[in-house]
Amino acid sequence: MWIDTHCHIHTEEDPLEVARSALNSQVEALICIGTDVVSSQQALGFAASIQTAIGAGATDLPRAYCTIGLHPHDASNEKMTGVEGIAHLAALNAPSRYGNLVGIGECGLDYYYEHSPREAQQAAFIAQIELALRYDLTLVIHTRDAWDDTFAILRGNPLPRRVLFHCFTGDKTVASKALDMGAFLSFSGMVTFKNAEEIREAVRFTPIDRLLIETDSPYLAPVPYRGKRNVPAYVGIVGEYVANLKGLSIGEFSDATITAAYECFSLK
Ligand SMILES: [Zn+2]
């Protein structure tokens, strides 16, 4: 079995159908990731509806958890209204863990697209680190072309107990810095791309008790589906590929990465 630790299926037209087909492909649990207030509300609602269905006896669905967060692309709102919305959702949902809320994010810095000014991205990131700490939730980090500032912010602020770099794209040196901080690293279908030798080096370097896998669906489908729409059902393709890079049997790696996912998100 597998856990897809990062997907966005809650914003799709028929997310339950996508979830069912994931279970058919050995995906036992999904973590649905919010990127703004609306998609965070959708993630909360979707995880809750799956929990209700399973509670009522459904056996054709994987378990679902969710995070709420503001992506750096959307961090430019004046007066931080986006972050205030996430803080409000956290206050409503975190203390009781209702709706399987397990994390804050994805949040961080994206200097590649730079859809939002850097200062706004940094302020939103710091505010969300503080939320994760306050509610003891896992911090889910998105960072692109911004390693120095990301590490500077992480070193300069009190951190929550559990930190995850999602869709890790750094090399071995960056992986080493992240692991030294105690963070988990999650690898997506990008690891299967032809030009991704640096990412493969990072995979080889990362201990399996800190290594997670994800699809980031609907984006970043692994080879042989590269360029097509991605789904959580493909997370096993990433898992088998990573198992092979680590020189482990699929069973050994699947057990290890599921245990790491439970640790990283403190799943119950
Ligand atoms: Zn994502």
Side-chain angles (χ1 to χ4, degrees):
M1 299 298 283
W2 304 106
I3 296 180
D4 184 356
T5 64
H6 192 111
C7 69
H8 301 277
I9 64 166
H10 48 286
T11 60
E12 298 200 6
E13 214 166 279
D14 191 354
L16 281 175
E17 196 44 49
V18 181
R20 275 187 204 103
S21 83
L23 185 67
N24 284 332
S25 296
Q26 311 295 313
V27 181
E28 65 173 46
L30 305 168
I31 300 181
C32 299
I33 306 289
T35 57
D36 58 19
V37 173
V38 172
S39 74
S40 295
Q41 281 169 325
Q42 287 170 317
L44 282 163
F46 181 61
S49 69
I50 288 206
Q51 186 179 29
T52 305
I54 291 175
T59 55
D60 60 346
L61 289 166
R63 282 172 293 119
Y65 304 90
C66 71
T67 72
I68 55 175
L70 188 70
H71 195 283
H73 289 346
D74 299 306
S76 64
N77 293 335
E78 277 173 66
K79 296 184 194 154
M80 302 277 286
T81 47
V83 170
E84 280 163 22
I86 299 301
H88 184 63
L89 284 178
L92 282 176
N93 292 279
S96 64
R97 286 293 191 92
Y98 173 76
N100 296 327
L101 176 60
V102 293
I104 296 288
E106 55 187 295
C107 57
L109 307 175
D110 194 316
Y111 296 172
Y112 179 78
Y113 287 110
E114 214 166 334
H115 287 331
S116 308
R118 293 184 178 192
E119 305 71 53
Q121 294 188 31
Q122 291 161 8
F125 185 29
I126 292 167
Q128 291 177 90
I129 292 171
E130 207 271 314
L131 280 179
L133 179 66
R134 188 186 319 160
Y135 295 111
D136 192 24
L137 292 165
T138 302
L139 180 69
V140 178
I141 299 172
H142 166 109
T143 187
R144 187 152 184 207
D145 283 2
W147 289 112
D148 288 349
D149 282 3
T150 301
F151 283 121
I153 286 175
L154 292 172
R155 292 201 183 100
N157 288 276
L159 296 182
R161 288 194 289 171
R162 300 173 306 279
V163 173
L164 169 67
F165 287 87
H166 113 83
C167 192
F168 190 80
T169 53
D171 60 14
K172 206 166 105 176
T173 314
V174 181
S176 158
K177 279 190 199 171
L179 291 164
D180 283 350
M181 298 181 48
F184 292 79
L185 309 186
S186 176
F187 293 90
S188 71
M190 281 178 86
V191 72
T192 68
F193 294 178
K194 205 173 169 191
N195 58 355
E197 195 45 48
E198 280 189 354
I199 303 178
R200 286 187 280 277
E201 254 178 47
V203 166
R204 291 188 196 98
F205 181 77
T206 303
I208 46 171
D209 60 351
R210 297 251 224 110
L211 196 165
L212 275 53
I213 53 169
E214 64 173 76
T215 59
D216 205 8
S217 52
Y219 318 105
L220 296 175
V223 173
Y225 301 107
R226 187 172 181 183
K228 307 233 167 69
R229 175 174 159 265
N230 198 4
V231 285
Y234 295 162
V235 76
I237 298 174
V238 180
E240 290 182 17
Y241 192 95
V242 169
N244 190 35
L245 284 179
K246 300 298 277 179
L248 295 170
S249 74
I250 290 166
E252 282 169 324
F253 176 65
S254 136
D255 285 351
T257 194
I258 285 177
T259 304
Y262 266 82
E263 280 277 312
C264 178
F265 285 100
S266 190
L267 301 182
K268 306 262 159 34

